Amino acid sequence: AIDETSRVDGSRFGGVRAYWDAEANQFTTTKPAYNQVRLQLHKLMAITYATDELMADSGTALEQHLFNLFSSEVRFKLGDSLVNGTGAGMPQGLLSAPAVVSVSKETGQAAATIVYENLVKAYSRMWAPSRAKAVWLINQDIEPALFTMALNVGTGGMPVYLPAGGASAKPYGTLFGRPVIPVEFCPTLGTVGDIIFVDFSQVYSLRKGETQQDSSIHLRFDFAETAFRTVFRAAARSLWLSALTPLKGTATKSYAVTIATRA
């Protein structure tokens, strides 16, 4: 991974720099700097048992039914790890990644709320090249706050998320032009991560082959049961090791932005 923590001259890409220079002057040598980042595979497992009677009497293709359920559970756990993973025995999720920026709440902001200024701050801290690919992940608990959110103008205000037709029209599904995606993995309203602005192109992942699905009559032969097992190996993390200091200005930028706890 490129060891870049700042965009000031001499720090871009860890040390690459170009110079305006006069004819016949000697070139000034620069070079990039790199860090080694390890993507370690972790294993997701699920197992269950079915009696011979259930296998024989079931009105459905039970083996395929169980494997479909396990596959759905694997996808769910993988999605959860991309947000909440600790990096210990599982992928490193957004909320534990070192480069994620958390913007402060507003002075006097009530507990468990989202205000327009929160979103403006979050958008402004997204690394500009990532904005075109970023999405807003939200917990559905914050939707009432989004639908009633307003921009104060003098002594009045105007809705900033409901469409022109109000509640009679289909609610907007974007903020600042980027998709709003409700997911189960984000924490509830007022907690860091209840809304995450993220560019997932900056999260790298790998997997080892396909999902392995196996069955065995031998494991619990003396119980007349068949064992069904699913194993999936994957890894994920961002190659960003810290937020970026811009060339001009002091507020760091990142590929992922959250809002600090509002308690």
Side-chain angles (χ1 to χ4, degrees), residues 196-241:
I196 307 172
F197 194 32
V198 57
D199 171 16
F200 270 115
S201 74
Q202 300 304 303
V203 178
Y204 291 76
S205 63
L206 60 89
R207 68 181 184 185
K208 189 72 170 181
E210 301 299 325
T211 304
Q212 299 175 18
Q213 296 183 322
D214 303 291
S215 61
S216 172
I217 64 171
H218 304 294
L219 180 61
R220 293 176 64 88
F221 184 78
D222 53 339
F223 289 89
E225 291 179 341
T226 300
F228 297 96
R229 183 187 71 181
T230 293
V231 178
F232 180 76
R233 297 178 68 204
R237 64 164 296 158
S238 171
L239 298 192
W240 286 51
L241 300 181

Side-chain angles (χ1 to χ4, degrees), residues 46-260:
I47 191 168
T48 193
Y49 309 106
T51 65
D52 289 353
E53 291 85 357
L54 182 61
M55 294 285 293
D57 299 341
S58 174
T60 63
L62 187 61
E63 179 174 354
Q64 189 58 53
H65 172 70
L66 291 173
F67 282 146
N68 288 343
L69 295 182
F70 283 168
S71 295
S72 295
E73 172 66 4
V74 164
R75 287 193 296 270
F76 182 91
K77 292 293 287 186
L78 185 60
D80 182 59
S81 73
L82 292 176
V83 174
N84 299 300
T86 63
M90 65 178 68
Q92 181 189 72
L94 295 173
L95 298 183
S96 61
V100 172
V101 165
S102 183
V103 300
S104 61
K105 67 177 182 178
E106 295 301 294
T107 302
Q109 182 174 345
T113 59
I114 293 280
V115 297
Y116 182 67
E117 289 78 6
N118 297 150
L119 303 180
V120 171
K121 282 184 177 180
Y123 186 81
S124 72
R125 298 292 293 277
M126 171 61 65
W127 176 231
S130 285
R131 285 179 178 172
K133 294 172 283 188
V135 298
W136 300 89
L137 301 182
I138 69 166
N139 184 304
Q140 282 185 250
D141 288 350
I142 81 167
E143 286 183 330
L146 290 180
F147 295 148
T148 57
M149 188 168 55
L151 173 62
N152 294 325
V153 181
T155 58
M158 58 180 293
V160 294
Y161 193 67
L162 281 179
S168 64
K170 182 179 179 180
Y172 286 138
T174 61
L175 283 170
F176 302 107
R178 303 309 306 152
V180 176
I181 305 173
V183 296
E184 292 183 74
F185 318 122
C186 288
T188 192
L189 177 61
T191 310
V192 174
D194 57 352
I195 182 166
I196 307 172
F197 194 32
V198 57
D199 171 16
F200 270 115
S201 74
Q202 300 304 303
V203 178
Y204 291 76
S205 63
L206 60 89
R207 68 181 184 185
K208 189 72 170 181
E210 301 299 325
T211 304
Q212 299 175 18
Q213 296 183 322
D214 303 291
S215 61
S216 172
I217 64 171
H218 304 294
L219 180 61
R220 293 176 64 88
F221 184 78
D222 53 339
F223 289 89
E225 291 179 341
T226 300
F228 297 96
R229 183 187 71 181
T230 293
V231 178
F232 180 76
R233 297 178 68 204
R237 64 164 296 158
S238 171
L239 298 192
W240 286 51
L241 300 181
S242 71
L244 280 178
T245 299
L247 174 64
K248 307 290 185 181
T250 58
T252 55
K253 314 297 181 186
S254 179
Y255 72 97
V257 185
T258 63
I259 302 170

